[in-house]
Amino acid sequence: MNHENQISDAIERVLLDEDAIAARVSRLAAEISEAYAGVEYGQDGLVLVGVLKGAFVFLADLARQLAVPHHVDFIALSSYNRSTSSGEVRLIMDSRINVADRHVLIVEDIVDTGHTLDYLQRTFQARNPASLRSCVFLSKPARREVPVSIDYLGFEIPDVWVVGYGLDFADRYRTLPFIGALKEKIYKS
Ligand code: PRP
């Protein structure tokens, strides 16, 4: 099967197409630019911290539309055991920029149970930033186990397995340009 057929065989339906995503990301970038207006590069500047791997697409689109100067950094995390939803988060690669006294904006692709964002918020708060906010592309409120605050949200979605725009299933489908719901036969096989 060629790549195109593999994709249409795996995707049940498109939840958010490229135009819907682009329009929402532009609005978020405008909102964030307004909120951080006046912030400059440097020791008290704005640092976007993208959470690998999922956030790389969203962060790239968002950052390129920001009208304020900012630094970009990444952190890589993984859940210890997703199937038991233990909530334990493992740090694979820490961010490099010292965020003390800087404005930190955590950029996530999705908040599901909330354990990852909760871990990030506790971790970065302990590093004494000037401010700490979060920008999340998708949220599945039906799955929440820990309450977390999201300052800038793209979309709320139902509890379906979504892929594309950075989100994966077994590291596949991450670079689809849209958000698609995965067919049950794929994640149950
Ligand atoms: C996903 C996503 C979030 C986290 C959200 O990451 O990117 O970081 O899960 O889930 P939670 O709210 O239940 O904690 P994943 O562990 O799949 O890694 P990936 O981004 O490398 O695909």
mmCIF file of all heavy atoms in Angstrom, residues 116-143:
data_model
loop_
_atom_site.group_PDB
_atom_site.id
_atom_site.type_symbol
_atom_site.label_atom_id
_atom_site.label_comp_id
_atom_site.label_asym_id
_atom_site.label_seq_id
_atom_site.Cartn_x
_atom_site.Cartn_y
_atom_site.Cartn_z
ATOM 1 N N THR A 116 1.194 15.220 32.594
ATOM 2 C CA THR A 116 2.400 15.802 32.002
ATOM 3 C C THR A 116 2.466 17.304 32.265
ATOM 4 O O THR A 116 3.496 17.824 32.714
ATOM 5 C CB THR A 116 2.448 15.521 30.476
ATOM 6 O OG1 THR A 116 2.319 14.116 30.276
ATOM 7 C CG2 THR A 116 3.737 16.023 29.870
ATOM 8 N N LEU A 117 1.359 18.005 32.002
ATOM 9 C CA LEU A 117 1.375 19.455 32.210
ATOM 10 C C LEU A 117 1.523 19.782 33.697
ATOM 11 O O LEU A 117 2.215 20.734 34.054
ATOM 12 C CB LEU A 117 0.101 20.094 31.629
ATOM 13 C CG LEU A 117 0.076 21.623 31.664
ATOM 14 C CD1 LEU A 117 1.275 22.226 30.943
ATOM 15 C CD2 LEU A 117 -1.223 22.156 31.053
ATOM 16 N N ASP A 118 0.920 18.983 34.540
ATOM 17 C CA ASP A 118 1.060 19.195 35.984
ATOM 18 C C ASP A 118 2.538 19.074 36.387
ATOM 19 O O ASP A 118 3.066 19.912 37.117
ATOM 20 C CB ASP A 118 0.202 18.161 36.726
ATOM 21 C CG ASP A 118 0.334 18.279 38.233
ATOM 22 O OD1 ASP A 118 0.028 19.359 38.761
ATOM 23 O OD2 ASP A 118 0.769 17.298 38.873
ATOM 24 N N TYR A 119 3.201 18.048 35.872
ATOM 25 C CA TYR A 119 4.633 17.841 36.150
ATOM 26 C C TYR A 119 5.444 19.040 35.655
ATOM 27 O O TYR A 119 6.317 19.558 36.356
ATOM 28 C CB TYR A 119 5.102 16.551 35.453
ATOM 29 C CG TYR A 119 6.597 16.344 35.475
ATOM 30 C CD1 TYR A 119 7.211 15.656 36.525
ATOM 31 C CD2 TYR A 119 7.404 16.825 34.439
ATOM 32 C CE1 TYR A 119 8.592 15.479 36.542
ATOM 33 C CE2 TYR A 119 8.773 16.650 34.454
ATOM 34 C CZ TYR A 119 9.371 15.973 35.505
ATOM 35 O OH TYR A 119 10.728 15.795 35.517
ATOM 36 N N LEU A 120 5.135 19.496 34.443
ATOM 37 C CA LEU A 120 5.874 20.626 33.858
ATOM 38 C C LEU A 120 5.669 21.895 34.667
ATOM 39 O O LEU A 120 6.613 22.645 34.908
ATOM 40 C CB LEU A 120 5.394 20.869 32.423
ATOM 41 C CG LEU A 120 5.869 19.840 31.399
ATOM 42 C CD1 LEU A 120 5.046 19.956 30.126
ATOM 43 C CD2 LEU A 120 7.348 20.052 31.097
ATOM 44 N N GLN A 121 4.428 22.130 35.076
ATOM 45 C CA GLN A 121 4.142 23.354 35.821
ATOM 46 C C GLN A 121 4.864 23.340 37.165
ATOM 47 O O GLN A 121 5.437 24.347 37.574
ATOM 48 C CB GLN A 121 2.624 23.538 35.974
ATOM 49 C CG GLN A 121 1.997 23.932 34.628
ATOM 50 C CD GLN A 121 0.480 24.062 34.644
ATOM 51 O OE1 GLN A 121 -0.210 23.406 35.429
ATOM 52 N NE2 GLN A 121 -0.062 24.880 33.754
ATOM 53 N N ARG A 122 4.882 22.196 37.826
ATOM 54 C CA ARG A 122 5.596 22.095 39.112
ATOM 55 C C ARG A 122 7.097 22.251 38.894
ATOM 56 O O ARG A 122 7.789 22.948 39.634
ATOM 57 C CB ARG A 122 5.269 20.774 39.811
ATOM 58 C CG ARG A 122 3.863 20.789 40.431
ATOM 59 C CD ARG A 122 3.543 19.570 41.264
ATOM 60 N NE ARG A 122 3.286 18.387 40.457
ATOM 61 C CZ ARG A 122 4.099 17.353 40.328
ATOM 62 N NH1 ARG A 122 5.245 17.310 40.975
ATOM 63 N NH2 ARG A 122 3.769 16.321 39.584
ATOM 64 N N THR A 123 7.615 21.604 37.839
ATOM 65 C CA THR A 123 9.053 21.658 37.557
ATOM 66 C C THR A 123 9.517 23.081 37.249
ATOM 67 O O THR A 123 10.526 23.555 37.792
ATOM 68 C CB THR A 123 9.391 20.732 36.359
ATOM 69 O OG1 THR A 123 8.980 19.414 36.712
ATOM 70 C CG2 THR A 123 10.874 20.722 36.036
ATOM 71 N N PHE A 124 8.788 23.770 36.375
ATOM 72 C CA PHE A 124 9.224 25.116 35.991
ATOM 73 C C PHE A 124 8.959 26.151 37.075
ATOM 74 O O PHE A 124 9.734 27.087 37.249
ATOM 75 C CB PHE A 124 8.621 25.524 34.640
ATOM 76 C CG PHE A 124 9.377 24.913 33.499
ATOM 77 C CD1 PHE A 124 8.926 23.753 32.896
ATOM 78 C CD2 PHE A 124 10.576 25.468 33.065
ATOM 79 C CE1 PHE A 124 9.646 23.154 31.871
ATOM 80 C CE2 PHE A 124 11.300 24.880 32.042
ATOM 81 C CZ PHE A 124 10.836 23.719 31.447
ATOM 82 N N GLN A 125 7.880 25.968 37.835
ATOM 83 C CA GLN A 125 7.605 26.905 38.927
ATOM 84 C C GLN A 125 8.759 26.902 39.927
ATOM 85 O O GLN A 125 9.139 27.942 40.446
ATOM 86 C CB GLN A 125 6.273 26.534 39.613
ATOM 87 C CG GLN A 125 5.658 27.677 40.401
ATOM 88 C CD GLN A 125 5.408 28.933 39.564
ATOM 89 O OE1 GLN A 125 4.607 28.925 38.658
ATOM 90 N NE2 GLN A 125 6.124 30.023 39.862
ATOM 91 N N ALA A 126 9.314 25.710 40.145
ATOM 92 C CA ALA A 126 10.414 25.574 41.104
ATOM 93 C C ALA A 126 11.689 26.277 40.627
ATOM 94 O O ALA A 126 12.634 26.457 41.395
ATOM 95 C CB ALA A 126 10.704 24.089 41.334
ATOM 96 N N ARG A 127 11.738 26.654 39.361
ATOM 97 C CA ARG A 127 12.929 27.317 38.808
ATOM 98 C C ARG A 127 12.818 28.844 38.834
ATOM 99 O O ARG A 127 13.602 29.538 38.198
ATOM 100 C CB ARG A 127 13.185 26.813 37.388
ATOM 101 C CG ARG A 127 13.480 25.319 37.375
ATOM 102 C CD ARG A 127 13.646 24.759 35.977
ATOM 103 N NE ARG A 127 13.916 23.323 36.049
ATOM 104 C CZ ARG A 127 14.120 22.545 35.003
ATOM 105 N NH1 ARG A 127 14.095 23.056 33.787
ATOM 106 N NH2 ARG A 127 14.350 21.253 35.160
ATOM 107 N N ASN A 128 11.799 29.323 39.540
ATOM 108 C CA ASN A 128 11.610 30.770 39.760
ATOM 109 C C ASN A 128 11.552 31.638 38.503
ATOM 110 O O ASN A 128 12.316 32.597 38.355
ATOM 111 C CB ASN A 128 12.696 31.313 40.701
ATOM 112 C CG ASN A 128 12.667 30.582 42.023
ATOM 113 O OD1 ASN A 128 11.599 30.410 42.618
ATOM 114 N ND2 ASN A 128 13.824 30.118 42.462
ATOM 115 N N PRO A 129 10.642 31.307 37.590
ATOM 116 C CA PRO A 129 10.503 32.162 36.408
ATOM 117 C C PRO A 129 9.808 33.474 36.782
ATOM 118 O O PRO A 129 9.170 33.560 37.841
ATOM 119 C CB PRO A 129 9.597 31.325 35.491
ATOM 120 C CG PRO A 129 8.766 30.511 36.437
ATOM 121 C CD PRO A 129 9.658 30.217 37.626
ATOM 122 N N ALA A 130 9.924 34.477 35.907
ATOM 123 C CA ALA A 130 9.206 35.738 36.139
ATOM 124 C C ALA A 130 7.703 35.478 36.031
ATOM 125 O O ALA A 130 6.900 36.065 36.763
ATOM 126 C CB ALA A 130 9.647 36.778 35.111
ATOM 127 N N SER A 131 7.320 34.607 35.107
ATOM 128 C CA SER A 131 5.919 34.182 34.989
ATOM 129 C C SER A 131 5.901 32.821 34.308
ATOM 130 O O SER A 131 6.877 32.442 33.646
ATOM 131 C CB SER A 131 5.106 35.193 34.168
ATOM 132 O OG SER A 131 5.518 35.159 32.818
ATOM 133 N N LEU A 132 4.810 32.110 34.506
ATOM 134 C CA LEU A 132 4.691 30.774 33.908
ATOM 135 C C LEU A 132 3.271 30.590 33.381
ATOM 136 O O LEU A 132 2.301 30.685 34.141
ATOM 137 C CB LEU A 132 4.992 29.694 34.962
ATOM 138 C CG LEU A 132 4.884 28.238 34.504
ATOM 139 C CD1 LEU A 132 5.894 27.923 33.397
ATOM 140 C CD2 LEU A 132 5.092 27.286 35.693
ATOM 141 N N ARG A 133 3.163 30.367 32.081
ATOM 142 C CA ARG A 133 1.854 30.121 31.473
ATOM 143 C C ARG A 133 1.959 28.923 30.535
ATOM 144 O O ARG A 133 3.056 28.481 30.212
ATOM 145 C CB ARG A 133 1.383 31.348 30.687
ATOM 146 C CG ARG A 133 1.018 32.515 31.568
ATOM 147 C CD ARG A 133 0.461 33.652 30.758
ATOM 148 N NE ARG A 133 0.304 34.834 31.585
ATOM 149 C CZ ARG A 133 0.099 36.056 31.119
ATOM 150 N NH1 ARG A 133 0.017 36.257 29.808
ATOM 151 N NH2 ARG A 133 -0.038 37.071 31.929
ATOM 152 N N SER A 134 0.796 28.465 30.078
ATOM 153 C CA SER A 134 0.800 27.327 29.161
ATOM 154 C C SER A 134 -0.045 27.614 27.933
ATOM 155 O O SER A 134 -1.077 28.296 28.020
ATOM 156 C CB SER A 134 0.268 26.086 29.868
ATOM 157 O OG SER A 134 -1.061 26.309 30.286
ATOM 158 N N CYS A 135 0.414 27.103 26.814
ATOM 159 C CA CYS A 135 -0.324 27.209 25.556
ATOM 160 C C CYS A 135 -0.447 25.790 25.001
ATOM 161 O O CYS A 135 0.557 25.124 24.751
ATOM 162 C CB CYS A 135 0.442 28.097 24.580
ATOM 163 S SG CYS A 135 -0.356 28.210 22.979
ATOM 164 N N VAL A 136 -1.675 25.336 24.877
ATOM 165 C CA VAL A 136 -1.938 23.941 24.530
ATOM 166 C C VAL A 136 -2.821 23.896 23.286
ATOM 167 O O VAL A 136 -3.841 24.590 23.227
ATOM 168 C CB VAL A 136 -2.651 23.245 25.720
ATOM 169 C CG1 VAL A 136 -3.072 21.833 25.349
ATOM 170 C CG2 VAL A 136 -1.754 23.240 26.956
ATOM 171 N N PHE A 137 -2.425 23.095 22.322
ATOM 172 C CA PHE A 137 -3.214 23.046 21.089
ATOM 173 C C PHE A 137 -4.545 22.322 21.286
ATOM 174 O O PHE A 137 -5.590 22.810 20.902
ATOM 175 C CB PHE A 137 -2.386 22.403 19.963
ATOM 176 C CG PHE A 137 -3.092 22.424 18.651
ATOM 177 C CD1 PHE A 137 -3.451 23.634 18.069
ATOM 178 C CD2 PHE A 137 -3.433 21.251 17.997
ATOM 179 C CE1 PHE A 137 -4.146 23.670 16.860
ATOM 180 C CE2 PHE A 137 -4.118 21.271 16.793
ATOM 181 C CZ PHE A 137 -4.473 22.485 16.227
ATOM 182 N N LEU A 138 -4.502 21.130 21.902
ATOM 183 C CA LEU A 138 -5.740 20.358 22.089
ATOM 184 C C LEU A 138 -5.916 19.957 23.542
ATOM 185 O O LEU A 138 -4.945 19.651 24.234
ATOM 186 C CB LEU A 138 -5.693 19.063 21.262
ATOM 187 C CG LEU A 138 -5.582 19.176 19.750
ATOM 188 C CD1 LEU A 138 -5.471 17.778 19.139
ATOM 189 C CD2 LEU A 138 -6.781 19.916 19.159
ATOM 190 N N SER A 139 -7.176 19.912 23.975
ATOM 191 C CA SER A 139 -7.463 19.417 25.322
ATOM 192 C C SER A 139 -8.622 18.432 25.248
ATOM 193 O O SER A 139 -9.591 18.653 24.528
ATOM 194 C CB SER A 139 -7.848 20.595 26.233
ATOM 195 O OG SER A 139 -8.299 20.113 27.477
ATOM 196 N N LYS A 140 -8.456 17.341 25.994
ATOM 197 C CA LYS A 140 -9.538 16.355 26.109
ATOM 198 C C LYS A 140 -10.045 16.393 27.541
ATOM 199 O O LYS A 140 -9.577 15.619 28.392
ATOM 200 C CB LYS A 140 -8.982 14.942 25.851
ATOM 201 C CG LYS A 140 -8.776 14.565 24.425
ATOM 202 C CD LYS A 140 -8.376 13.082 24.399
ATOM 203 C CE LYS A 140 -7.894 12.660 23.045
ATOM 204 N NZ LYS A 140 -7.336 11.284 23.089
ATOM 205 N N PRO A 141 -10.981 17.277 27.852
ATOM 206 C CA PRO A 141 -11.418 17.428 29.249
ATOM 207 C C PRO A 141 -12.010 16.148 29.842
ATOM 208 O O PRO A 141 -11.870 15.911 31.045
ATOM 209 C CB PRO A 141 -12.474 18.542 29.187
ATOM 210 C CG PRO A 141 -12.675 18.875 27.764
ATOM 211 C CD PRO A 141 -11.632 18.225 26.938
ATOM 212 N N ALA A 142 -12.595 15.302 29.009
ATOM 213 C CA ALA A 142 -13.218 14.062 29.508
ATOM 214 C C ALA A 142 -12.197 13.112 30.128
ATOM 215 O O ALA A 142 -12.550 12.223 30.895
ATOM 216 C CB ALA A 142 -13.953 13.360 28.371
ATOM 217 N N ARG A 143 -10.918 13.287 29.797
ATOM 218 C CA ARG A 143 -9.880 12.368 30.269
ATOM 219 C C ARG A 143 -9.113 12.872 31.491
ATOM 220 O O ARG A 143 -8.239 12.207 32.010
ATOM 221 C CB ARG A 143 -8.864 12.145 29.134
ATOM 222 C CG ARG A 143 -9.452 11.460 27.925
ATOM 223 C CD ARG A 143 -9.097 10.018 27.873
ATOM 224 N NE ARG A 143 -7.676 9.812 28.068
ATOM 225 C CZ ARG A 143 -7.142 8.674 28.514
ATOM 226 N NH1 ARG A 143 -7.931 7.670 28.837
ATOM 227 N NH2 ARG A 143 -5.840 8.559 28.652
#
